[in-house]
Amino acid sequence: MTLLDPSPLTAALARADRGERLDVDDAEALLHATGAEFERVLDAASRARDEGLRLAGREGIITYSRKVFVPLTTLCRDRCHYCVFVDTPGQLLAKRKPAYMSPAQVLAVARQGQAQGCKEALLTLGDRPEDRWPEARAWLDEHGYTSTLDYVGAMARLIREETGLLPHLNPGVMRPDELAWLREVAPSMGIMLETTSRVLYENKGEVHYGSPDKDPDVRLRLLDDAGASRIPFTTGILVGIGETLRDRAESMIALREAHERHGHLQEIIVQNFRAKPRTAMQNVPDAELLEYVAAVAVMRLVFGPRMRVQVPPNLQDVVELELLARAGADDWGGVSPLTADHVNPERPWPHLDDLARETSALGFTLRERLTAHPEFLGDAWIHESLRGAVDALADPSGLAREGAHPEGTVRHDVADEDLADHTPTLSAPGGLIAAVIERAAQDPASLDDTEWERLLTATGDELEALVQTADDVRRYTVGEAVSIVDNRNIAGSLFRSSDAGGYDLEQLADMARDAQDLGLTEICVQGTVDPSLAPESYLDIARTIRSAAPRIHLHAFRPQDIADLADRSGLGLDGALAAMREAGVDTVPGTGVKVLSERVRREIMPSDLEIDRWVETIRAAHRAGFSSTSVLFYGHVETAAERIAHLRTLLAIQAETGGFNEFVPIPMPGWGRPLVEGRRDLDEHRAMAAVSRLMLTGSIPHIQLPWTRHGLATTAELLNAGGDDLGGTLRDGRVGPLSGVEAGQELTLDAARSLLKPLFRPLRRRTTTYGEVSRG
């Protein structure tokens, strides 16, 4: 930051300390603060936030909204230089993606969110795409809608009536008449001002050039129109897109003036710019942290105690959240347990349990709110048609009522006509019907085993419908990003072995240090140690890796390995797991089983752990705090019924423990026996991936594709059948390259990006547990 003349800064700090009204010069001066003055700004902002929470009757509470994200269309008439949300019609075609989500697709997401206790449906989309793209205009005409906003209103009403979720609309710029009738279907709406800078809008090459809806005057007029319509409204600024500190200050004051005219701004978002690949700003640095924190603090001071100031938690690291809380933030915004942040696909939402813990560590309690904040739930703000839906979910304080579950009031028939635009006609005698596929997408628990088995054996148009629906569910829940963990494997069975790749503890330490030096984030250890070795060998392996590479995540020991340690050491299962934790193990692979069927185990792999023992061990591992993978090896002697029973067991375990991070359907090496005689191998894999996605959605979110078993060409096809993860890079490393389970097979990050480029899917480097890799 650049130091300003201390006199204006000193005066501004004094006014901020006294809680006085700040003008634009004060705001700019405070944005320049550094060192001790910066700390004073944070302290003043914290005091103002705490006073506001006291006045609101919820001291020490930071709020969030449990939501689903519904990206109704990614077509847009604007050309923002930082955006990866929007698509062109050509990109939609390459992605096999419709111009607009159909009503059935919208309801599939909403109902899944309803089942997970969400109360908000966020409808976000591009601005008036029909004004730029003939394909958008044609879709609207074909389906009987006068405009995109007409369709937004119809879908908002459909969501509320069918599920009880409360829509929050982010459809871009709206006219007064559009605001008036959309107010009848949504308790709240929003649009980001972003900045008042006309330079960024008018100058060629700047971030908003060529985007008619980013005209600051147009957006400020919309804020006034929304206030005149008595709509609880969300807005905010975007920090780090080329604006000056003066621009930021002027944006803050402009927002305050709009609120003072109408009193309708329920929250102000202060969002930091994050560069995204494949955009014009991909090489622009992210918003500088302390400048961003200062913007949050000054926004708090400009608005005073009573405004809710929101920062998005998925765009921050834990350390950054602490600074932002000190800066006066009191709301984390919408967080989804189901859907991706489609605007920031590379930044996953934090798990709500983790967010609650992090909030508690900051000295606050996390509480759920509705899409409209408590101060805006009165009759002056909520249309009478929404009164019942809002009251059903609100507690007396105006926050979300604990235990409240949204319930729909109307059941619409959208199965036939509205599915016709994206599901092939299924007319073969005895074939699947579109309604079964719709149920699989919207309410997978409603299908019985026979129906799931029938889906597994689909062929022809039935299979195409199944695959496309599964990919739609993938797209509209976990999103377009394909994830991968940068890792290496080490075979436990090669410890102190004389075979190629064998290693001792000294060599293991060298391998671990090498992995950490290469920037890998995970070491995976699988395989039972030689029975002639002491059972404590497992713990020696873990301790050695943890000591040599303290920053790396240790994903180690299958249930069979854990059982071996438990039995031979005399520790028992709980004791073995405790010893593993102490030795440095972080998570465990859920492998070592083919199909959860004793018949299958005895026939093809009798040396595997008994099924009951595998289930007992994985449950115990989850209860002990170890999350895991889950797998199914298919294409051998198993039946469709046994595959479905396997998935049912995984669902039951997940409902009990929540410990599975992903599911990996793996073709059994050396077999290749199809469920349907004559069905090609690719279709066997597509059916398995699609059923996995549909059956596990809402429970186990990620479907991992074992690229080493499929090859890259087939893997790319399966990414269009519901898959969203590539597993690991499986780096051999520079030390002990033959010590991995799949030595000699690597998928570099660049190779993974090349694989995804024709699919228009971004690559996201993840942690073992699907978090964001630390930039440190």
Side-chain angles (χ1 to χ4, degrees):
M1 299 182 189
T2 303
L3 283 173
L4 197 68
D5 184 299
S7 298
L9 177 56
T10 300
L13 279 168
R15 280 190 283 274
D17 284 337
R18 294 192 297 267
E20 295 179 2
R21 180 182 175 84
L22 305 179
D23 62 21
V24 66
D25 293 327
D26 294 327
E28 184 182 10
L30 294 174
L31 288 170
H32 279 91
T34 60
E37 287 83 4
F38 176 73
E39 294 296 322
R40 282 184 62 188
V41 171
L42 297 191
D43 290 343
S46 287
R47 290 194 300 272
R49 183 266 322 285
D50 293 344
E51 174 66 7
L53 291 177
R54 186 190 66 79
L55 293 170
R58 48 180 187 273
E59 290 182 73
I61 288 175
I62 290 181
T63 48
Y64 80 101
S65 177
R66 192 179 182 102
K67 74 176 182 184
V68 291
F69 191 132
V70 182
L72 201 58
T73 179
T74 53
L75 294 173
C76 183
R77 71 175 179 178
D78 293 324
R79 299 173 174 85
C80 300
H81 293 189
Y82 49 74
C83 184
V84 294
F85 176 75
V86 300
D87 293 302
T88 65
Q91 289 169 333
L92 292 180
L93 190 62
K95 293 179 179 181
R96 308 178 193 180
K97 183 176 177 181
Y100 292 77
M101 293 177 71
S102 72
Q105 292 168 329
V106 169
L107 283 180
V109 175
R111 285 183 178 139
Q112 291 274 2
Q114 178 192 27
Q116 295 202 31
C118 297
K119 298 173 183 65
E120 173 188 343
L122 169 65
L123 275 68
T124 292
L125 54 146
D127 275 84
R128 301 186 188 273
E130 64 271 30
D131 287 358
R132 179 181 178 189
W133 301 112
E135 293 85 350
R137 181 70 267 165
W139 191 97
L140 293 167
D141 290 343
E142 180 184 350
H143 293 82
Y145 297 100
T146 59
S147 66
T148 295
L149 288 175
D150 184 21
Y151 189 51
V152 169
M155 291 302 96
R157 181 177 286 107
L158 180 70
I159 289 169
R160 178 177 55 81
E161 292 179 347
E162 284 271 350
T163 68
L165 296 180
L166 302 176
H168 176 81
L169 307 184
N170 280 351
V173 174
M174 296 164 276
R175 300 189 305 266
D177 60 311
E178 293 165 335
L179 288 164
W181 56 262
L182 287 172
R183 181 177 182 268
E184 299 178 14
V185 298
S188 59
M189 303 180 208
I191 194 171
M192 291 289 283
L193 171 63
E194 298 192 14
T195 179
T196 54
S197 170
R198 298 207 63 81
V199 170
L200 299 186
Y201 173 68
E202 294 174 349
N203 289 10
K204 189 173 182 179
E206 297 290 354
V207 63
H208 289 153
Y209 183 78
S211 300
D213 299 291
K214 294 303 175 78
D215 184 335
D217 292 342
V218 170
R219 296 201 156 215
L220 289 170
R221 189 180 312 121
L222 168 60
L223 294 183
D224 276 329
D225 291 340
S229 297
R230 305 296 287 167
I231 296 171
F233 218 73
T234 296
T235 188
I237 65 171
L238 185 54
V239 176
I241 56 174
E243 80 286 6
T244 65
L245 294 186
R246 183 71 177 187
D247 292 332
R248 287 179 203 164
E250 290 175 350
S251 299
M252 294 175 187
I253 300 302
L255 290 176
R256 186 181 67 188
E257 290 173 349
H259 183 59
E260 288 174 341
R261 286 191 290 272
H262 306 286
H264 65 306
L265 297 185
Q266 62 167 353
E267 61 189 349
I268 302 294
I269 301 172
V270 184
Q271 181 172 328
N272 49 323
F273 166 76
R274 293 283 193 191
K276 297 174 177 60
R278 299 181 295 112
T279 67
M281 295 183 70
Q282 64 183 348
N283 296 318
V284 175
D286 290 348
E288 198 276 325
L289 176 58
L290 294 185
E291 283 197 12
Y292 173 48
V293 172
V296 174
V298 176
M299 185 71 82
R300 164 61 67 196
L301 295 172
V302 164
F303 271 91
R306 293 187 180 273
M307 179 56 69
R308 306 280 74 84
V309 175
Q310 178 189 132
V311 294
N314 61 314
L315 301 187
Q316 329 301 333
D317 294 333
V318 174
V319 173
E320 294 168 351
L321 282 181
E322 180 180 5
L323 276 171
L324 295 169
R326 286 189 60 207
D330 59 2
D331 186 80
W332 300 138
V335 179
S336 181
L338 175 71
T339 54
D341 180 352
H342 296 283
V343 174
N344 299 284
E346 78 288 359
R347 304 289 299 197
W349 302 114
H351 191 284
L352 287 171
D353 289 342
D354 294 337
L355 186 61
R357 282 193 295 271
E358 291 164 6
T359 304
S360 177
L362 298 174
F364 295 88
T365 300
L366 184 67
R367 281 289 309 275
E368 184 184 3
R369 61 167 172 83
L370 303 183
T371 178
H373 282 261
E375 295 81 359
F376 293 86
L377 296 184
D379 291 341
W381 296 103
I382 301 298
H383 191 271
E384 60 183 2
S385 65
L386 302 171
R387 184 81 271 158
V390 170
D391 289 349
L393 300 177
D395 72 7
S397 74
L399 295 175
R401 181 162 52 85
E402 291 189 22
H405 187 82
E407 297 290 345
T409 58
V410 178
R411 184 76 177 183
H412 296 268
D413 181 11
V414 300
D416 297 324
E417 179 181 348
D418 294 311
L419 277 172
D421 63 69
H422 74 290
T423 301
T425 301
L426 307 175
S427 57
L432 294 173
I433 59 172
V436 175
I437 295 176
E438 182 192 3
R439 283 173 50 226
Q442 296 183 12
D443 187 13
S446 71
L447 271 68
D448 61 28
D449 288 358
T450 301
E451 289 171 311
W452 284 117
E453 292 163 27
R454 185 67 183 86
L455 289 172
L456 269 177
T457 57
T459 59
D461 277 354
E462 295 178 350
L463 177 60
E464 297 309 314
L466 171 70
V467 166
Q468 188 162 353
T469 301
D471 206 41
D472 286 341
V473 169
R474 182 273 308 160
R475 170 177 293 118
Y476 297 126
T477 54
V478 296
E480 297 285 12
V482 176
S483 50
I484 194 169
V485 62
D486 205 1
N487 71 347
R488 75 159 292 169
N489 279 346
I490 297 174
S493 56
L494 289 174
F495 180 54
R496 300 198 185 281
S497 170
S498 59
D499 293 341
Y503 57 90
D504 58 21
L505 291 177
E506 183 178 352
Q507 292 164 320
L508 177 63
D510 289 340
M511 286 189 279
R513 279 189 288 268
D514 177 61
Q516 185 166 276
D517 291 345
L518 287 171
L520 309 189
T521 61
E522 173 192 290
I523 290 176
C524 177
V525 182
Q526 299 186 71
T528 307
V529 300
D530 190 291
S532 67
L533 299 176
E536 288 75 13
S537 297
Y538 293 106
L539 304 179
D540 291 339
I541 289 171
R543 292 188 191 104
T544 299
I545 293 173
R546 175 56 62 231
S547 176
R551 297 191 305 276
I552 214 155
H553 183 105
L554 181 53
H555 183 60
F557 310 139
R558 308 165 301 159
Q560 187 159 0
D561 309 331
I562 298 168
D564 185 46
L565 171 62
D567 293 346
R568 293 201 293 124
S569 68
L571 290 170
L573 188 51
D574 291 341
L577 290 165
M580 286 166 49
R581 176 68 73 195
E582 186 178 353
V585 176
D586 296 301
T587 55
V588 300
T591 51
V593 67
K594 306 305 179 285
V595 175
L596 293 169
S597 160
E598 269 300 318
R599 180 194 73 82
V600 172
R601 186 190 72 84
R602 286 193 300 266
E603 184 168 343
I604 68 166
M605 197 62 65
S607 59
D608 276 356
L609 197 63
E610 295 86 351
I611 300 305
D612 288 348
R613 189 84 191 279
W614 187 94
V615 171
E616 174 194 14
T617 305
I618 204 70
R619 279 183 167 138
H622 290 176
R623 287 195 301 269
F626 295 98
S627 62
S628 77
T629 53
S630 60
V631 301
L632 183 153
F633 283 79
Y634 64 91
H636 42 90
V637 302
E638 86 290 359
T639 65
E642 286 167 330
R643 290 193 200 178
I644 298 304
H646 180 105
L647 294 175
R648 291 275 191 209
T649 301
L650 295 182
L651 286 168
I653 296 171
Q654 185 74 341
E656 175 190 329
T657 69
F660 290 129
N661 295 315
E662 71 227 325
F663 173 70
V664 193
I666 306 173
M668 185 75 169
W671 286 79
R673 182 180 296 178
L675 278 182
V676 179
E677 191 65 36
R679 189 166 67 171
R680 61 180 182 153
D681 289 347
L682 177 59
D683 288 343
E684 287 285 321
H685 304 320
R686 293 169 77 216
M688 188 67 235
V691 167
S692 302
R693 167 59 64 195
L694 292 171
M695 194 169 178
L696 301 180
T697 287
S699 181
I700 303 175
H702 300 289
I703 305 300
Q704 183 184 121
L705 304 172
W707 57 267
T708 58
R709 304 297 175 88
H710 288 302
L712 296 184
T714 296
T715 298
E717 290 284 346
L718 299 181
L719 287 168
N720 286 326
D724 73 299
D725 184 75
L726 293 173
T729 56
L730 304 182
R731 304 271 290 277
D732 290 331
R734 299 165 298 193
V735 179
L738 299 180
S739 297
V741 175
E742 295 172 294
Q745 301 190 74
E746 290 186 337
L747 182 64
T748 65
L749 296 176
D750 285 342
R753 291 187 186 97
S754 296
L755 174 70
L756 301 180
K757 187 174 181 180
L759 306 178
F760 290 90
R761 301 270 295 275
L763 182 71
R764 183 175 80 84
R765 188 180 173 209
R766 63 167 173 87
T767 66
T768 305
T769 55
Y770 287 81
E772 185 69 13
V773 174
S774 171
R775 293 185 299 279

